[in-house]
Amino acid sequence: MIDDSLANNLTRKIIQQAKSGGYAVGGFCVFAADRAHAASVPISLHLDHCLKPSDAYLALECAFDSIMIDGSMFDEEENIRYVRSIVERAKAKNITIEAELGRMEGKEDGVPQIDLETVWTDPKKAASFVRETGVHFLAPSFGNVHGPYGPGGAEKHWQLDRLMKIYEKLGDRTPLVLHGTHPLSDDLVRVAMRLGMVKINQNRSVRNKYHEYLANFGGKGDLIALQENAVEAYSQDIERVMTEVFMSAGKA
Ligand SMILES: [Zn+2]
């Protein structure tokens, strides 16, 4: 069962408020914990794709509000045992846990490639996985890939009927987390939000302008101005998705 002693956990509060408020929150890449916690809206610090158990144990000793445990290299039974053991340990630290059920294809920045085949999340198993592990948020695999998507894009690869069944099985109890957003149309993100996605990870899709700026101006002129302007370009893309798609601006 999901443990309510963690109701004060920052990630959980942010996600629950987004769920009841009908908006989604973005999972963006940041590299400074103090800045996140000092922001004027609640921003929690989440560690994504923690692959090795030793990394998970280390992360539990750090300033994270939540951790994603990626046990996708394990078989089903082992994954349940592993995630459950981390959820137990995390409870004492007031940290909430996100887990992946199934296995998403593709390579994510900073995460070693696992050469195992994709496993889609079985909707029938989603509810029992959550119940048995006590995990707080679930990242399903329904044709989403850690991009880029092949021909036809996410529209062709996503199995929306599978996602809908997963959402139905979990009901309102477990917020879903969307991985594999490079790239997605705004409309498809809105569809995902209607099907239970409350946290939406964003990496490559919001940093194109940042890269463009560095490619055009890197090595020329003032270093401080280069850094500031590149971050400003990054912020513009984040601001756009928060304002126009997630509807989370001013909230989280
Ligand atoms: Zn991911």
Side-chain angles (χ1 to χ4, degrees):
M1 289 299 290
I2 293 171
D3 189 339
D4 274 313
S5 64
L6 288 166
N8 271 329
N9 171 266
L10 188 54
T11 302
R12 191 146 180 216
K13 267 202 232 169
I14 289 170
I15 289 183
Q16 291 298 353
Q17 276 165 10
K19 200 166 166 47
S20 49
Y23 57 96
V25 288
F28 302 109
C29 287
V30 292
F31 300 94
D34 291 343
R35 291 287 289 270
H37 281 156
S40 59
V41 294
I43 296 180
S44 64
L45 195 65
H46 172 85
L47 177 65
D48 218 33
H49 289 282
C50 203
L51 278 172
K52 287 191 285 184
S54 57
D55 289 346
Y57 302 145
L58 185 61
L60 288 170
E61 303 303 322
C62 300
F64 296 110
D65 299 295
S66 48
I67 301 169
M68 182 211 178
I69 298 300
D70 183 341
S72 56
M73 67 295 222
F74 294 136
D75 70 24
E76 221 172 279
E77 284 304 308
E78 261 180 282
N79 192 12
I80 289 175
R81 264 199 306 277
Y82 172 48
V83 173
R84 184 169 50 210
S85 75
I86 298 293
V87 169
E88 278 301 312
R89 283 171 181 244
K91 206 191 301 180
K93 308 271 182 187
N94 193 31
I95 293 173
T96 44
I97 301 295
E98 171 188 332
E100 177 173 332
L101 178 61
R103 190 183 300 121
M104 281 168 258
E105 189 188 312
K107 164 88 177 75
E108 188 153 22
D109 287 5
V111 181
Q113 172 95 36
I114 302 177
D115 285 321
L116 294 169
E117 62 183 27
T118 303
V119 180
W120 294 315
T121 305
D122 180 344
K124 289 192 206 87
K125 290 180 181 163
S128 61
F129 179 81
V130 169
R131 200 169 48 240
E132 286 174 39
T133 58
V135 80
H136 305 94
F137 320 109
L138 188 73
S141 166
F142 59 98
N144 46 336
V145 298
H146 285 123
Y149 283 89
E155 281 81 356
K156 183 168 168 235
H157 292 82
W158 278 18
Q159 302 165 29
L160 287 174
D161 52 339
R162 182 180 294 274
L163 177 58
M164 190 180 294
K165 282 184 192 132
I166 294 166
Y167 181 41
E168 279 167 9
K169 290 282 175 200
L170 292 174
D172 268 342
R173 292 185 306 277
T174 312
L176 298 177
V177 180
L178 180 58
H179 290 241
T181 56
H182 174 62
L184 296 183
S185 70
D186 291 349
D187 280 342
L188 198 57
V189 174
R190 292 185 185 106
V191 169
M193 287 167 64
R194 283 198 292 275
L195 295 175
M197 293 295 182
V198 185
K199 173 170 164 271
I200 298 173
N201 287 0
Q202 296 272 289
N203 182 14
R204 273 171 270 189
S205 48
V206 287
R207 58 165 212 217
N208 290 338
K209 281 194 193 135
Y210 175 88
H211 280 284
E212 260 169 44
Y213 190 87
L214 289 182
N216 291 333
F217 296 99
K220 299 169 199 158
D222 186 295
L223 176 65
I224 302 295
L226 178 75
Q227 286 171 331
E228 282 176 357
N229 293 341
V231 169
E232 177 57 30
Y234 198 163
S235 315
Q236 283 169 8
D237 272 347
I238 290 180
E239 193 176 322
R240 191 197 77 77
V241 291
M242 287 176 68
T243 309
E244 295 176 16
V245 189
F246 299 165
M247 313 311 283
S248 64
K251 293 171 180 159

